[in-house]
Amino acid sequence: MRQSSLVVVANRLPIDDNQAPDGACEWRRSPGGLVSALHPLLRHTPATWVGWAGGTGPAPALPDVDGVRMHTVALSPEDLRDHYEGFANATLWPLYHDSVEQPQHHRRWWEAYQRVNQRFAEATAEVAEPGAVIWVQDYHLQLVPGQLRALRPDLRIGFFLHVPFPPPELFMQLPRRAELLRGMLGADLVGFQRVQAAHNFAQLVTRVLELPATDRRIGIDDRVVRIGAFPVSIDTAEMAALADRPDVAARAHRLRQDLGDPRQVILSVDRMDYTKGIEQRLKAYSELLASGDVKVRDTVLVQVAMPSRERVGQYQILRERIEREVGRINGEFGRVGEPAIHYLTQPFDRAELAALYRVADVMAVTPLRDGMNLVAKEYVAARVDDTGALLLSEFAGTAAELSQAYLVNPHDLEGLKQGLRAALRASPADTTQRMRAMRAHLHQHDIRAWARSYLRALDEGGALISRLTSTETGSEGTARVPRPVAPTGSPAVHQGGT
């Protein structure tokens, strides 16, 4: 068993299983926000990624991808149902997103969460060399830092939460709140997207565990755990270069023609999730069509809603509601060959997404609650000509950085409509000034700046900083291996978080 000085631990491995025409298996970088954030940093340093490969049954042996070793953790159908679909996504996810949907509580879900987290901790302990730096990711694995510290006290452990962390009055609803907090406090550094989240965490530690805490440090046993905000970002230069490629520009031109060459295109790219505000956005657009503020021949909305957690009942119901509303709007306002909304649910590769970003005159990113939202940052990075308008929810973590966007409260239908009208009617001078300011911010605060900031705090200025941030990123890598035995009943599951 090879060991690594840097180990990333996440619910999913950074790959998807795609079958090539010859039957071989191609393990490619997957499209989740977490993977997009970390992938460029890990290709040029010896590292191991511990995670689930996406199926149930025995864990397949996988090749290295871009030099990163893949170490799989097996999940049974019961683990998938009770840990992933249950405690992680039916208890924690809604609670952490302001209870947009009512969290559910079941004892067997908590037991599965403990069991699976322990399995991840043991796998990590196995692959980490003495004194290694461990970077545990997100709400699926909040117990891992504490469990791992019990197994390997020699390790330097970091934990980063990609989703919002709720205020005390919401978190206090959790039956096993103390255990979750202690699990996170197994880390040497607990990172959040926003300062308010770190403040919420410190308040809860004081209230629930009665530990001495500030918004920067928490004392537990004989250790000090540091906490802080580290807003995640993207590879800004990579996205800009991709969007500036001639083939992507040509594809954007064809897409606009395929849309009927409208005067303005509004784009939204979301996972199918009730936190993303898709229904509220469709309602606002429908009312703008009804009032005549927007006309189908002049303006078109492209809504990309990639499936997510399709086996969870709430998501199935949400998809049905959205598809019914899209059908109603197109039936009422569309014309033959001119739908009011182009609704797409298939995944897109990065080049196709970059082309869509180039097409969009207005990018509508209006989640009800979001830890960060990297789509907004990708859109800004892709606007290489400094054009385009970003309509952004105040409740996305990105809003704290991209304050020059057209900020809206997605819970306020009239305010959402007003923001859409403002973005559609803005002068070129106004949008250019806003876009230039946002692009300048992203170039300064890119993925390397995020990693450097977090790892410096975790690794105390060790050698990892230079190795992870000094090398230029290259093209996306692919490894081909004989196709492993495919487990049955393997759902498509996307990374959450950012």
Side-chain angles (χ1 to χ4, degrees):
M1 171 63 63
R2 291 183 297 174
Q3 294 183 321
S4 297
S5 60
L6 173 64
V7 182
V8 173
V9 190
N11 175 63
R12 283 297 305 271
L13 290 171
I15 50 178
D16 280 334
D17 181 4
N18 300 303
Q19 187 171 9
D22 61 1
C25 178
E26 295 184 348
W27 294 97
R28 297 183 185 270
R29 159 186 175 185
S30 65
L34 171 59
V35 176
S36 297
L38 293 180
H39 177 270
L41 303 172
L42 302 178
R43 292 182 297 179
H44 303 286
T45 188
T48 296
W49 191 304
V50 175
W52 170 51
T56 56
L62 304 181
D64 295 359
V65 175
D66 290 340
V68 180
R69 293 193 289 273
M70 300 290 134
H71 187 79
T72 54
V73 176
L75 293 186
S76 69
E78 293 75 23
D79 294 331
L80 178 64
R81 181 193 66 209
D82 295 339
H83 164 258
Y84 181 80
E85 296 172 354
F87 194 80
N89 287 308
T91 301
L92 293 181
W93 179 267
L95 189 79
Y96 284 15
H97 290 83
D98 294 351
S99 294
V100 174
E101 290 282 335
Q102 185 64 32
Q104 301 176 43
H105 305 279
H106 297 286
R107 279 177 291 183
R108 76 172 188 276
W109 290 0
W110 168 250
E111 292 166 0
Y113 189 82
Q114 291 177 293
R115 180 176 68 246
V116 171
N117 273 241
Q118 184 66 37
R119 197 175 306 154
F120 272 81
E122 291 170 357
T124 305
E126 182 182 0
V127 301
E129 68 180 29
V133 171
I134 313 297
W135 202 353
V136 184
Q137 308 288 330
D138 226 0
Y139 64 102
H140 314 85
L141 303 175
Q142 286 178 228
L143 297 179
V144 167
Q147 294 167 333
L148 185 57
R149 181 165 296 280
L151 294 170
R152 293 285 304 275
D154 62 298
L155 300 175
R156 194 82 178 160
I157 303 170
F159 177 81
F160 188 82
L161 188 69
H162 291 258
V163 299
F165 191 80
E169 57 269 21
L170 285 179
F171 191 88
M172 291 293 288
Q173 297 176 19
L174 279 172
R176 312 311 292 259
R177 58 202 184 193
E179 290 94 326
L180 280 170
L181 293 175
R182 287 194 176 275
M184 295 170 70
L185 289 173
D188 296 287
L189 174 66
V190 180
F192 301 91
Q193 298 278 23
R194 304 187 70 171
V195 171
Q196 183 61 50
H199 176 70
N200 291 344
F201 183 71
Q203 280 192 312
L204 277 160
V205 165
T206 302
R207 183 171 175 180
V208 176
L209 302 180
E210 299 182 347
L211 295 174
T214 70
D215 287 359
R216 294 187 178 183
R217 294 174 179 270
I218 297 168
I220 178 170
D221 301 327
D222 58 348
R223 301 185 299 116
V224 173
V225 178
R226 286 164 295 147
I227 62 176
F230 304 87
V232 71
S233 194
I234 64 168
D235 190 335
T236 307
E238 184 266 345
M239 175 53 73
L242 179 61
D244 206 29
R245 275 177 14 192
D247 62 312
V248 172
R251 177 57 180 154
H253 180 70
R254 290 194 302 271
L255 281 170
R256 198 169 195 104
Q257 289 181 325
D258 292 342
L259 292 170
D261 202 18
R263 187 172 61 86
Q264 290 182 301
V265 175
I266 305 170
L267 172 66
S268 289
V269 177
D270 306 281
R271 285 187 303 103
M272 183 68 74
D273 194 285
Y274 50 79
T275 65
K276 299 301 182 182
I278 301 174
E279 291 179 286
Q280 290 80 356
R281 190 184 310 138
L282 293 177
K283 176 67 172 173
Y285 187 64
S286 172
E287 292 195 5
L288 289 176
L289 288 169
S291 66
D293 287 292
V294 171
K295 294 181 171 56
V296 170
R297 286 186 177 175
D298 295 332
T299 305
V300 64
L301 170 62
V302 178
Q303 174 64 65
V304 178
M306 291 175 281
S308 174
R309 303 166 189 150
E310 294 181 274
R311 303 196 336 171
V312 179
Q314 292 169 317
Y315 290 81
Q316 296 168 0
I317 295 170
L318 173 67
R319 180 168 182 167
E320 291 171 2
R321 288 203 310 258
I322 289 174
E323 291 177 349
R324 188 164 52 245
E325 181 65 6
V326 169
R328 182 194 69 78
I329 293 171
N330 280 336
E332 186 171 346
F333 300 106
R335 295 180 172 88
V336 175
E338 293 181 338
I341 300 173
H342 291 259
Y343 175 68
L344 307 168
T345 59
Q346 69 266 34
F348 290 88
D349 63 28
R350 288 182 64 73
E352 189 78 357
L353 271 178
L356 281 170
Y357 293 150
R358 287 196 59 147
V359 169
D361 302 287
V362 175
M363 184 79 200
V365 181
T366 58
L368 304 178
R369 194 77 168 89
D370 225 338
M372 181 52 61
N373 197 296
L374 298 182
V375 167
K377 293 189 174 185
E378 288 184 344
Y379 174 72
V380 170
R383 302 303 296 191
V384 292
D385 59 357
D386 291 331
T387 64
L390 175 62
L391 184 76
L392 183 59
S393 167
E394 299 170 354
F395 302 107
T398 325
E401 297 182 79
L402 304 182
S403 58
Q404 296 85 6
Y406 295 87
L407 298 176
V408 295
N409 175 2
H411 301 272
D412 175 7
L413 184 61
E414 290 302 319
L416 184 53
K417 288 162 56 180
Q418 182 179 348
L420 269 170
R421 281 194 296 263
L424 288 167
R425 297 174 182 175
S427 69
D430 183 41
T431 55
T432 295
Q433 182 181 22
R434 291 169 181 258
M435 188 58 68
R436 281 178 180 165
M438 291 187 289
R439 286 175 56 76
H441 175 85
L442 284 189
H443 278 288
Q444 187 176 0
H445 298 87
D446 66 355
I447 184 67
R448 288 178 182 81
W450 171 67
R452 188 181 300 114
S453 173
Y454 184 89
L455 289 174
R456 181 176 291 117
L458 173 61
D459 196 35
E460 296 183 327
L464 277 174
I465 303 300
S466 59
R467 291 211 304 267
L468 284 172
T469 59
S470 63
T471 310
E472 291 296 322
T473 59
S475 59
E476 177 179 306
T478 300
R480 293 173 57 84
V481 293
R483 185 173 182 80
V485 177
T488 59
S490 303
V493 182
H494 297 268
Q495 286 284 5
T498 54

